Structure formats: C-alpha cells, structure tokens
Amino acid sequence: ARAVLLPDIVAANAAYAALVPPAHYVDLLGIMQRRHGGLPVFDAQGRILSADRIHLTQAGAQFFAGSVLDDPAWRPLLAIGQR
C-alpha cells in the first residue's frame, strides 16, 4: 500500500525544490518515489510506518533511514559528518 500525497504537499515539495539549489536540496519524496514507487504505508514485515501521517514509528524511522541515507543525494552531507 502507498500513501496518497495531498496536492498541497506535492506543490510544497516542488516549490522547495525550485527555491533551493539542487546541490543543497534532498528530495525525500522523490527518493521514495524512485525506490518504492511512492510512500509506503507498511514495511516488508507489515509494520506501520506512520500512525498519523506526520510522525514515524520506530519501524518507520528505520525504514526511511535505510531508504534514503544510501541515496547518492546524501553523499555530500554524510561526507561532512566524517570529517
């Protein structure tokens, strides 16, 4: 199952992407779309990722961290932390 993104959220994401230089904007919604075909509601074990569509559950935090932190968009940011 995939969460339906509200039009306001999609529009805000596009506005932020247009305002922030590409080297400084990590498009989390775009990453999830590329990796999972949208925003999953459950992980592979059937655990809910967000009970209220705002906050992540522990399973949700693990899922999103695993999904986004290995995306190439994060490499510059992660490199800063390793200095």
Side-chain angles (χ1 to χ4, degrees):
R2 303 283 175 266
V4 176
L5 295 176
L6 300 173
D8 290 350
I9 299 298
V10 174
N13 189 61
Y16 295 138
L19 289 172
V20 178
H24 296 191
Y25 185 72
V26 177
D27 183 358
L28 297 177
L29 294 180
I31 291 170
M32 297 310 290
Q33 181 65 39
R34 287 191 304 276
R35 290 188 166 243
H36 304 287
L39 228 70
V41 176
F42 304 100
D43 66 9
Q45 290 77 37
R47 297 176 297 185
I48 193 162
L49 303 178
S50 174
D52 62 4
R53 295 181 56 130
I54 298 170
H55 303 93
L56 296 174
T57 62
Q58 184 174 4
Q62 292 168 340
F63 178 85
F64 280 90
S67 294
V68 301
L69 291 179
D70 65 344
D71 192 88
W74 286 95
R75 286 188 190 130
L77 295 173
L78 293 174
I80 292 169
Q82 295 178 357
R83 291 183 189 168

